[in-house]
Amino acid sequence: MTARFTRADAGQAPLLASIARCAFDPAYGESWSSTQLTGTLSQTGTWAELASLGGKPAAFSLARIAADEAELLLVATLPHARRMNLGRALLQRVSLAAQARGAVFLHLEVRRSNKAALALYRSCGLSQIGERKAYYRGVDGRSHDAVTMQAALPLTSS
């Protein structure tokens, strides 16, 4: 099945929030609300892209740029659409869009225990540049460390 990619805007925040709710493990409290997404998408330099399979929304990315650095804020893929390279495709599309906007680096944070995301990011050329202790707080109150990663643009793909 071929993916279709379209730009998403603040008016689609409820749809993006519903994807995020299904994509992220609720134990970690990483999902963003419609209000958070609307507010972020209203900021200058922020963009989102929606991936659809068979005409149905399956994943999205959210990114922003400041000066010469882009930040990947979210990549969310519905469980049934995982392992179909949507995350990789969205990451590559963020890379190209950020570079077109003048970014030379891409930065992100990811939960240290999110092995699938770490593997994807490393395979696209991102390297760990730091860590943030107790960056995420799960719904049970437990803290989770984040890894900070960065790569020069454009990203590689292996």
Side-chain angles (χ1 to χ4, degrees), residues 111-148:
R111 182 174 27 85
R112 179 179 300 285
S113 60
N114 189 340
K115 302 302 183 197
L118 284 165
L120 169 64
Y121 299 146
R122 287 183 180 124
S123 75
C124 289
L126 285 117
S127 299
Q128 182 174 337
I129 58 168
E131 61 182 88
R132 295 190 173 149
K133 295 286 187 190
Y135 185 72
Y136 297 104
R137 179 152 322 271
V139 293
D140 62 0
R142 291 180 41 209
S143 296
H144 303 275
D145 297 342
V147 171
T148 57

Side-chain angles (χ1 to χ4, degrees), residues 9-18 20-21 31-43 62 74:
D9 60 29
Q12 293 169 294
L15 170 62
L16 301 180
S18 71
R21 272 191 307 278
S31 183
W32 287 29
S33 70
S34 180
T35 301
Q36 289 171 304
L37 288 161
T38 298
T40 301
L41 284 166
S42 299
Q43 297 172 3
L62 177 66
L74 289 174

Side-chain angles (χ1 to χ4, degrees), residues 1 28 34 50 52 65 84 112 123 130 135 142 155:
M1 191 175 315
Y28 297 105
S34 180
L50 181 64
S52 297
I65 187 169
M84 299 177 78
R112 179 179 300 285
S123 75
Y135 185 72
R142 291 180 41 209
L155 296 177

